[in-house]
Amino acid sequence: MNEYTTDVAIIGFGKAGKTLAGALAKKGKTVTVIEKSAKMYGGTCINVGCLPTKSLTHSAKIIDQLSEFGIERNPEINNQFFKQAMDYKTELVTKLNKKNYHKIADLDNVTVLDGFAYFKDDHTLLVDTDTETLQVTAANIIIGTGSTAVIPDFENKQNSPHIHTSEEILELTNLPKKLGIIGGGPIGLEFASYFAEFGSEVTVYEFNDSLLPREDKDDAAAILERLEELGVTIEFNAQAKRVQDTDNGVRLTFEQNGEEKSAELNEILVATGRIPNTNKLDIEKAGVALGARGEIKVNKHLQSSVEHIWAVGDVKGGPQFTYISLDDYRIVLPQLLGEESNYNLETRRVYPTATFVDPTFARVGFNEKEATEAGKNYKVAKMPVAAVPKAQVLRETSGFLKILVDPETDLILGASFFSYEAHEMINLIALAINENISYKSLRDGIYTHPTMSESMNDLLEMI
């Protein structure tokens, strides 16, 4: 058995893992990075998540805009454009995957092993490659194995080639005429939005009786209205029961308000959430404690129950965002270098979120529902995106801009933007919240014109 000894072993080539590897190597530490699949260098985001899906979102937007200029579309044109979009997505992923590999593997102090890692004890990993089992002994171990899609239990799900997770559906070679999406959360709605713009007939089957229940009712209603405008159908109170393959695809049988119904579809996307990847790590051999969903329990410093083993990214539970994984790196790195740092989960900055429907719905801080529940006193300003000159220029007038301000301190409590470029503008609000910048500073800011961000002049004037 080939054996490796290293200062730090990192399981998973995701955002936190690769960034830690690079930083540690530059500080003279020896690092071994273990990745089970050569297709996953760089992690979920680069290969099967954020970047490929946002590439498709952008491509779908382009073809959707053709209609506004009177250019006729038909199923053949839609499918041809979809194929080109998928080809570009594949080209992009391949390029980024290779770039991420060499960025780390080419460093002098880094060894990259292709294989599946699991624990022998709290300092030792076994790695099954295609040809042999390796052993890695490390003073410190970082677990960054990410998460995997959950497919709920319904009859015949495992036997149909037409049932896809969010990763698998990225490999389609033809645009489905009729696409069913089980789950109306952020992932499901993103796919619904851009597949509808590509030209698919999209139906979302949502278990609950409303959309995005954590959001303000008026916000969720606006998003629902826009999705319906794009041609998306939402079936509420709908629970998948079974599927059966047909000559043209698959038949979905679902229960809705006590009544059994069926739908003829070409493909089905299951978007009902993700769980941490820990079930094959033999983690009990290292003495690492897990939570109820299989997540690695961590303290505020991201240490597991074993002090020299840390967990980063999705595998520790909590928010499943690439930028959170990057921020995990900022918490762990000083500990591995023996440096003092006051930054941890308890001192983590406020961070924004974005759901890439069309237009994007982005949030940071409190919404009205949360502010009320927290007993916050607030003033709210809200304006339609159509009132922004740049939105008229771009023909992107759907949505709204909403912001909450503390009337006593003049500090911003939160914002909800459902707007073109919302995912960019929300970062300005996050910065203001984290740096305690008065809303008046944004209100009186001098912005380039015409831009979406200059809407802060008019929006905050309403406070």
Side-chain angles (χ1 to χ4, degrees), residues 183-192 211-212 215 271 321 354-357 361:
I187 294 176
L189 295 184
E190 286 185 19
F191 277 91
L211 204 64
L212 302 173
E215 307 304 333
F321 303 113
T355 300
F356 286 83
V357 289
F361 178 64

Side-chain angles (χ1 to χ4, degrees), residues 9-24:
I10 300 174
I11 313 174
F13 208 123
K15 187 68 172 181
K18 70 175 183 180
T19 312
L20 279 167
L24 290 166

Side-chain angles (χ1 to χ4, degrees), residues 97-143:
N97 177 284
K98 183 177 180 180
K99 179 180 178 181
N100 273 268
Y101 174 79
H102 286 289
K103 187 175 181 179
I104 300 303
D106 292 351
L107 295 174
D108 290 339
N109 291 349
V110 176
T111 299
V112 176
L113 301 178
D114 294 327
F116 187 86
Y118 51 99
F119 283 90
K120 179 179 180 181
D121 56 51
D122 65 330
H123 279 287
T124 311
L125 298 168
L126 298 177
V127 182
D128 290 340
T129 72
D130 289 340
T131 58
E132 61 181 327
T133 296
L134 311 175
Q135 181 169 295
V136 178
T137 302
N140 300 289
I141 297 175
I142 311 297
I143 304 173

